[in-house]
Amino acid sequence: MRHPYLSPAAPRVLAHRGLVTADAASHGVVENSFAAVAEAHAAGAAYVESDCHVSADGTVVLFHDDDLRRVAGDPRRIADVRLHELEEIMADRGGLITLAQALEAFPELRFNLDVKAAAAADGVGRLVAPHAERVLVTSFSDDRRLEALAAARAAGAAQRPATSPGQATVVRLLAARALRRAGRVGALLDGLDALQVPERQGPLRIVTRGLVRDAHAHGVEVHVWTVNADDDMERLLDLGVDGLVTDRADAALRKVNTRGTPAV
């Protein structure tokens, strides 16, 4: 049965780390900030992709990097900074947003959450448990992903969040397809809702018409990251992918709507 996170029909536009327009960036707004999430929502995005770390005092925050160097010129790790100080640092950069705040402040949004820090997995699971119908949990690490799903279940989630596999599972899936082991492909796709992958990894092409076909045959969607060029959006949609993870959610929404297909 299709997870409610993936209803209604594709294709979907997933706002990568929210949406930071050129004008917002010129005023200091950064990715994964409260303002970036709000801007994605205002642009009409139904999905926001973000990453989860945990502060020194145990609060799950939306942040991509494990330190503040790129965003704030501060070399400290997120895990070593307390919440109140993160809030101060982010105050003139669009505002810090915790996972709890994101889920509460934007009840109409669906969140695609990448568990970046091992210490965040349990907290992510517990926080999303009441919102499982509008959350997808993923991670490069299948262990972190599965820990978050288990925490959601332990916290009383009425259903598990949607999920996309980690890197190791994707590698095994590609190997099984290359060896034409259809049963193994089906087993690896079982229990998944989406494959969220880059189009290429170095010289290796990951997203092909065959991969899309196999995923769809097992009720699994294919979402491609990070797609910013107009031509790439068109080509991938023509290939049949179900979702575009993009820094240009406003442009992608216009493109999807122009094609006459729903953008949610």
Side-chain angles (χ1 to χ4, degrees):
M1 180 179 296
R2 179 177 292 271
H3 195 283
Y5 178 86
L6 299 174
S7 179
R12 313 181 195 286
V13 172
L14 295 90
H16 186 234
R17 308 179 197 174
L19 175 62
V20 180
T21 63
D23 181 63
S26 70
H27 288 85
V29 173
V30 300
E31 64 187 40
N32 280 325
S33 61
F34 194 103
V37 175
E39 189 67 29
H41 183 244
Y47 296 85
V48 167
E49 184 277 345
S50 195
D51 313 276
C52 296
H53 282 274
V54 64
S55 69
D57 42 359
T59 301
V60 179
V61 296
L62 302 192
F63 234 93
H64 177 269
D65 300 353
D66 63 2
D67 61 45
L68 290 158
R69 189 183 307 273
R70 183 172 59 87
V71 167
D74 186 326
R76 289 178 298 169
R77 297 171 64 248
I78 300 295
D80 295 331
V81 184
R82 297 180 72 84
L83 179 64
H84 73 87
E85 193 171 359
L86 288 172
E87 291 173 333
E88 291 171 3
I89 291 168
M90 291 292 290
D92 59 354
R93 293 177 169 88
L96 181 74
I97 185 167
T98 68
L99 177 55
Q101 288 169 339
L103 293 167
E104 293 167 8
F106 301 97
E108 296 177 358
L109 280 179
R110 302 176 193 197
F111 286 93
N112 202 100
L113 301 173
D114 184 345
V115 184
K116 279 290 172 65
D122 183 72
V124 169
R126 287 186 287 102
L127 288 167
V128 305
H131 310 275
E133 75 286 350
R134 62 185 181 102
V135 172
L136 182 146
V137 171
T138 188
S139 176
F140 281 111
S141 162
D142 277 308
D143 288 344
R144 288 199 296 266
R145 174 179 70 90
L146 294 173
E147 182 181 347
L149 293 176
R153 183 170 59 251
Q159 65 178 111
R160 68 162 176 80
T163 193
S164 170
Q167 193 170 46
T169 298
V170 172
V171 169
R172 289 193 289 268
L173 175 64
L174 295 176
R177 291 195 68 255
L179 296 171
R180 300 187 178 183
R181 296 177 59 188
R184 178 64 170 159
V185 169
L188 287 165
L189 290 171
D190 185 47
L192 301 177
D193 301 286
L195 282 175
Q196 298 184 330
V197 291
E199 183 177 6
R200 304 182 69 95
Q201 188 69 47
L204 176 65
R205 177 171 290 280
I206 296 175
V207 179
T208 64
R209 195 172 297 278
L211 178 72
V212 173
R213 182 181 61 246
D214 287 353
H216 287 177
H218 292 87
V220 176
E221 293 197 354
V222 177
H223 303 164
V224 185
W225 51 266
T226 303
V227 186
N228 292 331
D230 290 344
D231 290 348
D232 291 340
M233 293 180 191
E234 290 282 3
R235 178 171 45 76
L236 288 165
L237 290 172
D238 287 342
L239 198 64
V241 307
D242 306 283
L244 301 174
V245 184
T246 177
D247 298 315
R248 302 178 60 228
D250 47 354
L253 286 162
R254 288 193 295 271
K255 186 170 294 295
V256 168
N257 288 331
T258 298
R259 292 169 65 96
T261 48
V264 292

